[in-house]
């Protein structure tokens, strides 16, 4: 007396297939992400980028995937100067995807700003660091310190002094500033 109707049986089979497909997709996503993390830990930037790109294709709504992909591009840009500009551009794109998904993450804004500064887009970098400071007031001094450091590294001492003063203003105990 407990036999399923043909409709109920078909619905159950369909639900089971969908669940199996979701589990397979999640496993593939986790495998790609973990492979990216492993490659990044070994400073194998090409492998990390390939794995995080695959993870992004499997699920484009995972901000952590885009953040790690961007970080990998930044690291490869440092390690391989010949592809620096292209890698920084791709890092910017990946950070923007992470920010679009999780706009309240100050680290993404901070890291995106540092990439913008390396691309000599200082006004945009300052705007991103200001966003980071607004999102995370407890660490605002660090964000302005980062801006000051970027300016120092690019030979812009006056702008650096302004950024360092802002860092001290926000956190008088921030020794680096």
């Amino acid at each position: 007396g407990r036999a399923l109707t043909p409709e109920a049986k078909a619905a159950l089979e369909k639900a089971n297939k969908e669940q199996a497909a979701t589990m397979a997709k999640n496993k593939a996503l986790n495998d790609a992400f973990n492979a990216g993390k492993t490659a990044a830990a070994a400073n194998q930037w090409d492998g990390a980028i390939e794995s995080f790109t695959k993870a992004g294709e499997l699920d484009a709504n995972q901000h952590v995937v885009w953040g790690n992909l961007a970080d990998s591009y930044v690291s490869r840009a440092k390690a391989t100067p010949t592809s620096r500009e292209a890698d920084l551009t791709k890092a910017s794109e990946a950070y923007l995807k992470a920010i679009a998904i999780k706009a309240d993450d100050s680290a993404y804004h901070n890291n995106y700003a540092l990439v913008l500064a390396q691309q000599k887009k200082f006004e945009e970098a300052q705007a991103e660091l200001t966003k980071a400071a607004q999102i995370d007031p407890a660490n605002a001094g660090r964000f302005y310190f980062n801006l000051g450091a970027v300016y120092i590294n690019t030979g812009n001492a006056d702008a650096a002094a302004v950024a360092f003063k802002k860092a001290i203003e926000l956190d008088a105990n921030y020794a680096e500033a």
Side-chain angles (χ1 to χ4, degrees):
R2 293 188 151 205
L4 295 175
T5 65
E7 295 83 18
K9 187 174 181 180
L12 182 62
E13 287 175 6
K14 181 181 176 190
N16 286 341
K17 286 180 183 178
E18 288 173 357
Q19 183 180 23
T22 299
M23 289 174 64
K25 179 182 171 187
N26 287 342
K27 182 183 181 327
L29 173 63
N30 287 332
D31 289 349
F33 182 79
N34 291 333
K37 291 296 278 185
T38 299
N43 296 332
Q44 296 172 347
W45 306 119
D46 292 341
I49 289 166
E50 180 181 327
S51 294
F52 290 131
T53 299
K54 181 179 178 183
E57 290 167 356
L58 291 167
D59 188 348
N61 295 316
Q62 298 294 325
H63 65 88
V64 70
V65 169
W66 299 113
N68 278 277
L69 177 60
D71 293 344
S72 296
Y73 275 120
V74 169
S75 295
R76 187 170 79 176
K78 290 177 188 171
T80 313
T82 55
S83 66
R84 182 179 186 275
E85 293 307 315
D87 284 342
L88 290 177
T89 298
K90 289 182 180 188
S92 290
E93 293 167 1
Y95 279 131
L96 284 173
K97 288 179 182 180
I99 289 168
I101 297 166
K102 187 155 176 62
D104 64 346
D105 190 316
S106 61
Y108 292 145
H109 289 280
N110 178 69
N111 294 347
Y112 177 49
L114 296 177
V115 169
L116 289 170
Q118 290 179 55
Q119 294 175 311
K120 305 209 183 322
K121 298 176 181 178
F122 297 115
E123 287 183 28
E124 293 175 53
Q126 185 173 10
E128 286 300 317
L129 286 166
T130 300
K131 284 180 194 174
Q134 290 169 345
I135 292 167
D136 187 3
N139 289 306
R142 181 174 61 103
F143 301 132
Y144 282 101
F145 171 79
N146 287 345
L147 182 60
V150 167
Y151 283 135
I152 286 291
N153 291 337
T154 59
N156 194 342
D158 292 338
V162 171
F164 289 138
K165 285 178 185 176
K166 183 76 172 174
I168 293 167
E169 189 181 296
L170 292 168
D171 185 357
N173 295 321
Y174 195 68
E176 287 86 350

